């Protein structure tokens, strides 16, 4: 049971942030293994948990009559309180909210700044800039631009369709698919 509580308290907030960041469109270049995902979650745990505990401690200081909760200043306090179901529910609820807010802030501001710094170092080294997206598939197909494409087999010229891309598969889906609209209108 202690391993489960440790996982919930020490890994879940970081995993939530990783999930939100990917949902907001910052995808890694390669699919991560479970060990890598655990390491990333452990690293992302720190900002989410610090912000969650800060919010929780401020709430406790403002509202003095919460008998179940107490101020948390050390990891031992956090581990001891993780056995309390009320604390666990409050902590997890706040972690979902905080991980969402921190992820929005990261994807909107910090990621762009991080990319600028990385590209300055790459330019200084004489290496090409990184793209704003992590793959060619995202660069071409996952933007909100209107794109008309022709899809057909390489060995056959007469069986092709022309249409406007409405949806494209995500970068890590095993097969790449495009959903076209206005195919009949644009069919030649």
């Amino acid at each position: 049971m202690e391993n489960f509580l440790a996982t919930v308290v020490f890994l879940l907030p970081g995993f939530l942030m990783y999930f939100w960041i990917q949902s907001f469109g910052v995808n890694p270049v390669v699919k991560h293994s479970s060990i890598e995902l655990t390491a990333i979650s452990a690293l992302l745990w720190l900002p989410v948990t610090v912000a969650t505990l800060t919010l929780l401690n401020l709430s406790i200081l403002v509202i003095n009559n919460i008998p179940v909760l107490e101020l948390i200043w050390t990891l031992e306090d956090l581990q001891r309180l993780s056995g309390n179901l009320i604390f666990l529910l409050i902590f997890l609820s706040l972690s979902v909210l905080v991980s969402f807010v921190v992820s929005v802030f990261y994807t909107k501001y910090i990621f762009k700044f991080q990319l600028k710094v990385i590209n300055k170092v790459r330019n200084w080294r004489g290496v090409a800039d990184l793209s704003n997206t992590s793959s060619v598939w995202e660069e071409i197909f996952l933007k909100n631009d209107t794109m008309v494409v022709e899809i057909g087999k390489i060995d056959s010229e007469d069986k092709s369709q022309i249409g406007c891309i409405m949806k494209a598969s995500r970068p890590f889906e095993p097969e790449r698919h495009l959903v076209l609209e206005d195919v009949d209108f644009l069919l030649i």
Side-chain angles (χ1 to χ4, degrees):
M1 189 65 167
E2 286 184 21
N3 289 338
F4 171 74
L5 293 176
T7 301
V8 167
V9 172
F10 292 107
L11 281 181
L12 191 61
F15 181 73
L16 284 169
M17 185 171 172
Y18 183 78
F19 168 77
W20 288 124
I21 288 172
Q22 274 198 333
S23 297
F24 297 152
V26 178
N27 293 309
V29 180
V30 294
K31 196 171 190 176
H32 293 298
S33 68
S34 58
I35 293 171
E36 292 170 333
L37 184 59
T38 303
I40 291 169
S41 297
L43 290 172
L44 294 175
W45 169 84
L46 187 63
V48 174
T49 301
V50 166
T52 301
L53 291 177
T54 302
L55 183 63
L56 189 61
N57 282 341
L58 286 173
S59 300
I60 292 170
L61 288 173
V62 171
I63 306 168
N64 292 329
N65 292 337
I66 305 177
V68 175
L69 299 178
E70 57 188 71
L71 294 174
I72 301 167
W73 299 110
T74 64
L75 287 176
E76 288 81 22
D77 293 341
L78 180 61
Q79 192 171 11
R80 182 175 42 78
L81 284 173
S82 67
N84 184 336
L85 287 177
I86 294 172
F87 169 78
L88 206 55
L89 288 174
I90 292 171
F91 180 79
L92 289 178
S93 301
L94 283 176
S95 291
V96 170
L97 177 68
V98 168
S99 66
F100 180 83
V101 171
V102 171
S103 299
V104 167
F105 185 75
Y106 174 78
T107 55
K108 184 70 176 165
Y109 302 109
I110 297 174
F111 181 71
K112 290 179 183 178
F113 175 74
Q114 177 183 359
L115 196 57
K116 284 181 184 178
V117 170
I118 288 170
N119 283 334
K120 283 191 185 283
V121 172
R122 290 176 68 91
N123 286 333
W124 176 67
R125 290 189 53 234
V127 180
D129 285 354
L130 290 178
S131 175
N132 289 335
T133 59
S134 59
S135 69
V136 174
W137 182 262
E138 287 179 335
E139 188 74 28
I140 295 173
F141 295 115
L142 295 183
K143 295 186 174 183
N144 285 330
D145 299 336
T146 302
M147 297 178 73
V148 177
V149 296
E150 180 178 2
I151 299 175
K153 292 184 178 180
I154 294 173
D155 61 348
S156 173
E157 294 181 22
D158 60 319
K159 293 184 179 180
S160 65
Q161 291 183 331
I162 299 174
C164 184
I165 297 176
M166 188 172 73
K167 293 185 180 186
S169 59
R170 293 182 181 184
F172 291 130
E173 290 185 32
E175 296 180 10
R176 305 292 185 172
H177 295 284
L178 297 173
V179 176
L180 303 177
E181 63 181 352
D182 297 330
V183 173
D184 295 329
F185 179 75
L186 297 171
L187 196 65
I188 295 176

